[in-house]
Amino acid sequence: MASSSSLPQVTRLSGSGDIGGAKDPLLTGVHKISHNYSLLRAIFPFLFPALEGLVYGYDIGATACATISLGSATLSGVSWYDLSSLQIGLIASGSLSGALIGSVLAFNAGDVLGRRFELIASAVLYCIGALITALAPEFPVMVIGRFVFGVGIGLAMHAAPMYMAETAPRQIRGQLLSLKEFFIVIGMVVGYAVGSALVDIFGGWRYMYGASIPLAVIMGIGMWCLPESPRWILLCAIQGKGNMHDLKESAIRCLYRLRGKAIGDSAPALVEEMLDELYSVGEDKKATLGEMFHGKCKKALVIGAGLVLFQQITGQPSVLYYAASILQSAGFSAAADATRVSILLGLFKLVMTGSAVLVVDRFGRRPLLLGGVSGMVISLFMLGSYYLFLNEAPAVAAIALLLYVGCYQLSFGPIGWLMISEIFPLRFRGQGLSIGVLVNFAANALVTLAFSPLKAWLGAGLLFYVFGAIAVASLAFIFFIVPETKGLSLEEIEEQCL
């Protein structure tokens, strides 16, 4: 293995410019070595963590059909098919409750276990939870299975963005992390499709839940074969959690496995560059809980938690709740079938998320957020106006629905998770993402629980106006607080954006 002193020196200009006249490579944007990568090698460190999103999305789609199958006296295959609305809610929200607990457990898991082993643990919990649910002889056992599956969701939604952000080449990091949302939407469409095919089969709900087990197994085996995040290894090194020389050698080996031949002999120099950058931004200091709410960490927490909070409270569950009735009133025959509506919207989401993936590293995060959320504001006020004043113009509601879904998938959908994966300093990334995931699932639960009472109190029209006002507030938040991270390394983001 070549030493860093014998490497050819190749200068790359990042375009970030000088900051305060500093000469450090991190601050000037001038790097001593090239950051070459192999697209083929970049696929697997993205693909296997992204499978957690596929499994998560599949569970959402499959559960919508499983509750129909389970409630059938002739097809459920169980004596406890006559479920109350509360029991159906427990099945649907059992995984959400588990995800909240999982996000709490993840607060230190990512730094203690490492990103790779946390993802392996989540795959094991996926398998156990799905197996318990699919084989459940009684309702309480099924709820336990849903809860265990949800804990796996909480861990996976925490670890996957970290692993992908820390291992992806900076040139395509935005595209790869945005593809995670693409995989969630694919999972939802597959879940709806599989559910539709099995809903009329005896005991079909068991097969729906059991079908996620092979995906979780593939994810677990894939993560077992992948290397650990080099940045996590170096964080352990500079914080004295092992022998510096051995951990540096381990990080070098991981870089070679992640980048392949494209990296040439540059891995030792890249590791030294990462170490210099980590030292320059103070990552060698031990993280304390109190620091989470001061300085750079506080700003990162405001940005990350704010994005995932607005992602949930700008009305997405409520808009989708009305999707079937809106499309039916607009004359779409398929709207009479809620499952077909879900598949239709899922395919539309795929197209729009794919569009975001293609342009996120070209246009940047802020333009997509500002443009997409602006479209959401318009669509929410259109929906409110439809329910209050324009009942005779259902086309307005259909256009507003598609505009909302499309703009969400261009902005909050993929970019929210991308930003919280990038924005936290390395030594706080595990804790910061844990808080972000917790805020996301808690806000999701809050909106879900509050929707029916608010609808009864305000009516659909005023409720959509409220969501529109919240979306305006989120637009101001993005404009004044959220920075642009396009083209920057994770260490440069910490230095220049926080």
Side-chain angles (χ1 to χ4, degrees):
M1 187 178 295
S3 65
S4 60
S5 60
S6 63
L7 294 173
Q9 301 297 302
V10 181
T11 300
R12 188 180 77 87
L13 198 58
S14 74
S16 57
D18 292 346
I19 297 181
K23 300 301 182 183
D24 188 280
L26 171 66
L27 306 184
T28 61
V30 179
H31 297 266
K32 296 179 180 178
I33 47 151
S34 63
H35 290 260
N36 293 328
Y37 67 94
S38 163
L39 185 59
L40 184 63
R41 283 284 186 149
I43 290 175
F44 292 109
F46 153 77
L47 179 63
F48 292 116
L51 283 179
E52 65 82 16
L54 188 69
V55 176
Y56 175 47
Y58 173 85
D59 183 69
I60 294 172
T63 297
C65 301
T67 52
I68 298 173
S69 172
L70 190 57
S72 171
T74 56
L75 297 176
S76 65
V78 296
S79 59
W80 37 277
Y81 65 87
D82 189 17
L83 300 175
S84 67
S85 58
L86 176 61
Q87 289 174 314
I88 293 174
L90 285 174
I91 293 172
S93 64
S95 59
L96 179 59
S97 302
L100 287 169
I101 299 301
S103 61
V104 173
L105 295 176
F107 189 78
N108 287 314
D111 290 334
V112 175
L113 295 177
R115 288 55 163 139
R116 173 171 164 262
F117 278 105
E118 187 180 355
L119 281 166
I120 293 171
S122 69
V124 172
L125 288 170
Y126 274 155
C127 290
I128 294 173
L131 190 63
I132 293 173
T133 304
L135 300 178
E138 299 291 341
F139 175 75
V141 177
M142 185 178 188
V143 174
I144 291 172
R146 299 292 295 144
F147 180 84
V148 172
F149 191 92
V151 175
I153 291 174
L155 292 178
M157 293 292 280
H158 172 257
M162 281 197 297
Y163 186 88
M164 288 190 283
E166 293 176 4
T167 59
R170 71 176 68 182
Q171 299 96 321
I172 56 171
R173 187 179 65 239
Q175 289 182 318
L176 293 180
L177 282 162
S178 299
L179 271 172
K180 176 180 174 290
E181 175 73 12
F182 190 77
F183 269 60
I184 292 175
V185 178
I186 289 176
M188 292 172 64
V189 174
V190 171
Y192 289 129
V194 170
S196 297
L198 298 176
V199 74
D200 293 325
I201 295 177
F202 184 80
W205 62 273
R206 296 188 186 274
Y207 300 109
M208 293 178 205
Y209 284 120
S212 64
I213 295 175
L215 290 174
V217 169
I218 293 171
M219 170 187 163
I221 293 173
M223 289 309 306
W224 184 267
C225 296
L226 286 175
E228 183 53 87
S229 160
R231 281 185 168 89
W232 176 75
I233 294 172
L234 294 177
L235 178 65
C236 294
I238 66 176
Q239 291 186 345
K241 297 178 181 178
N243 180 273
M244 173 64 80
H245 178 268
D246 292 343
L247 290 173
K248 283 171 62 176
E249 289 297 315
S250 178
I252 290 168
R253 289 193 297 271
C254 289
L255 268 177
Y256 275 121
R257 291 179 61 189
L258 289 166
R259 298 288 190 270
K261 294 180 179 178
I263 200 172
D265 293 326
S266 300
L270 271 172
V271 166
E272 292 297 336
E273 182 185 83
M274 285 183 192
L275 278 173
D276 290 342
E277 293 178 348
L278 292 175
Y279 275 119
S280 72
V281 293
E283 295 287 4
D284 54 315
K285 301 171 185 175
K286 293 293 179 69
T288 63
L289 183 61
E291 286 183 86
M292 282 295 300
F293 306 99
H294 294 89
K296 291 181 178 181
C297 296
K298 178 183 176 182
K299 184 174 181 181
L301 194 60
V302 168
I303 294 168
L307 281 173
V308 293
L309 176 64
F310 281 120
Q311 183 189 63
Q312 293 299 320
I313 65 174
T314 45
Q316 192 210 20
S318 305
V319 173
L320 295 182
Y321 178 88
Y322 278 94
S325 63
I326 288 173
L327 291 179
Q328 187 176 15
S329 66
F332 291 89
S333 58
D337 185 337
T339 302
R340 292 180 186 176
V341 172
S342 299
I343 294 174
L344 175 67
L345 287 178
L347 292 173
F348 181 61
K349 282 184 171 188
L350 277 179
V351 172
M352 299 309 296
T353 306
S355 301
V357 169
L358 291 175
V359 301
V360 64
D361 281 324
R362 186 185 309 167
F363 295 154
R365 286 63 162 153
R366 277 175 57 87
L368 289 182
L369 282 171
L370 291 170
V373 176
S374 296
M376 288 169 59
V377 170
I378 294 171
S379 64
L380 286 167
F381 282 112
M382 286 176 65
L383 282 171
S385 299
Y386 167 73
Y387 282 101
L388 287 175
F389 314 116
L390 304 173
N391 301 82
E392 301 303 319
V396 171
I399 292 170
L401 170 67
L402 295 177
L403 177 64
Y404 180 92
V405 171
C407 288
Y408 180 90
Q409 293 306 136
L410 279 174
S411 55
F412 276 141
I415 309 301
W417 287 106
L418 166 60
M419 290 292 294
I420 68 167
S421 306
E422 299 177 320
I423 203 67
F424 290 103
L426 178 58
R427 64 195 176 109
F428 289 104
R429 189 165 295 140
Q431 294 92 332
L433 260 169
S434 175
I435 293 174
V437 173
L438 181 62
V439 168
N440 179 272
F441 284 120
N444 185 307
L446 179 63
V447 171
T448 302
L449 290 172
F451 172 71
S452 293
L454 286 174
K455 175 177 170 287
W457 179 40
L458 298 173
L462 285 179
L463 184 56
F464 282 122
Y465 278 165
V466 170
F467 286 134
I470 295 173
V472 171
S474 72
L475 200 57
F477 173 82
I478 294 165
F479 185 81
F480 291 107
I481 294 178
V482 176
E484 181 56 73
T485 59
K486 180 186 73 170
L488 301 177
S489 73
L490 298 178
E491 291 75 28
E492 288 171 336
I493 291 171
E494 179 179 350
E495 181 62 36
Q496 299 179 24
C497 300
L498 297 179

